[in-house]
Amino acid sequence: QVGLDTSGAQNRAGGLIFALAFFAFTSLTTVDLVFEEKTIVSREVTGGYYRRWTYVISKLIIDGMFLRFLPILIFSAPFYPMMGLDGEPSSVALYLMTLGTFAVTVGALSLAVTFASRTSGQASFIMNIILLVCLLNSGFFVNAENMPDWISWLRYLSVFYYGYSVLITNEVSGLLFQFVVEGYTAVENVRGVTFLNILGINPTQTTNYIIILDCMYAIFCLASLIVVLVAGRH
């Protein structure tokens, strides 16, 4: 039950980035599954039971439905009301849609990296590095607008940046906060948009960020398919 004060604004941001990080790093569950199936899939493809692209597409669908979307619903059922996030139906729907899109996007990335890796350890290591770099450039730990030019462009490659920007904008843009700092006069009716500007997030780009997330998902799905097809020719 986060409030509308300074800590309430901070706790909203922290809770949302935690949700993203939780589902990002659980995407690594696909690594062991894929390597366990490799021998069976190779044998069955050679036997003509199905083609490699059929396996990849079915893997993406099952991964998205049962390892990404379903856990989000189970996680959000207690998480959302316990935090006391915006209860408007449109806000709840955007939260679920964004978190779901984010999760399937990272899941598709994890599959692409796993298909391209020789061992499960290599795949896990590469995914951890990618996710940590993306998390660092999400706009939560470091203000995106204050990052040096030589590295600030990395946020545009970060799936966390787009997911976090949409979620935090969805949650705070319509709220009014009271910022209280001990020893200073309280600042009343601080608009959520002002808080977003402090974080370096542009609240007018929500639709564009959702579209970019969708495009990233399509790119990672295509990458998974290409990696498997190319590997199958060697």
Side-chain angles (χ1 to χ4, degrees):
Q1 298 303 316
V2 291
L4 294 174
D5 53 6
T6 309
S7 63
Q10 180 183 10
N11 291 340
R12 280 178 170 83
L16 293 174
I17 199 68
F18 169 80
L20 291 171
F22 177 76
F23 286 104
F25 285 97
T26 54
S27 69
L28 296 178
T29 55
T30 62
V31 174
D32 288 335
L33 290 174
V34 168
F35 277 93
E36 288 175 2
E37 296 168 352
K38 266 192 171 183
T39 302
I40 298 175
V41 170
S42 296
R43 184 171 64 245
E44 293 180 344
V45 168
T46 303
Y49 291 99
Y50 49 82
R51 298 181 182 275
R52 292 186 183 276
W53 63 267
T54 309
Y55 167 72
V56 176
I57 292 176
S58 64
K59 193 71 178 173
L60 286 166
I61 293 174
I62 293 174
D63 181 83
M65 290 177 60
F66 296 107
L67 296 181
R68 309 299 155 218
F69 269 108
L70 184 59
I72 282 173
L73 296 177
I74 297 173
F75 169 86
S76 299
F79 171 79
Y80 204 91
M82 284 176 67
M83 277 204 67
L85 301 179
D86 190 350
E88 286 292 323
S90 59
S91 297
V92 176
L94 183 57
Y95 161 85
L96 291 173
M97 182 190 74
T98 303
L99 191 56
T101 304
F102 171 87
V104 297
T105 300
V106 178
L109 171 61
S110 181
L111 282 174
V113 171
T114 302
F115 288 144
S117 300
R118 295 182 178 180
T119 65
S120 59
Q122 183 185 60
S124 296
F125 177 76
I126 293 173
M127 274 302 299
N128 274 305
I129 294 298
I130 292 174
L131 292 177
L132 287 172
V133 171
C134 289
L135 185 58
L136 182 62
N137 291 278
S138 65
F140 176 77
F141 295 101
V142 181
N143 190 297
E145 297 299 323
N146 291 330
M147 294 177 68
D149 292 338
W150 65 271
I151 198 173
S152 63
W153 59 271
L154 282 175
R155 70 179 185 268
Y156 298 117
L157 302 178
S158 170
V159 65
F160 279 98
Y161 174 71
Y162 300 110
Y164 176 65
S165 295
V166 174
L167 289 180
I168 192 67
T169 299
N170 176 56
E171 173 60 27
V172 309
S173 59
L175 300 179
L176 293 175
F177 292 96
Q178 180 184 28
F179 285 176
V180 180
V181 179
E182 187 175 352
Y184 293 87
T185 304
V187 181
E188 307 244 357
N189 296 325
V190 178
R191 295 187 305 157
V193 173
T194 302
F195 177 62
L196 292 173
N197 289 332
I198 294 173
L199 296 178
I201 293 173
N202 187 345
T204 65
Q205 295 297 313
T206 298
T207 301
N208 292 335
Y209 290 161
I210 293 173
I211 293 173
I212 291 172
L213 273 178
D214 291 334
C215 291
M216 293 178 82
Y217 174 60
I219 290 170
F220 295 147
C221 286
L222 184 60
S224 298
L225 185 60
I226 291 173
V227 167
V228 170
L229 292 178
V230 171
R233 294 177 181 176
H234 298 285

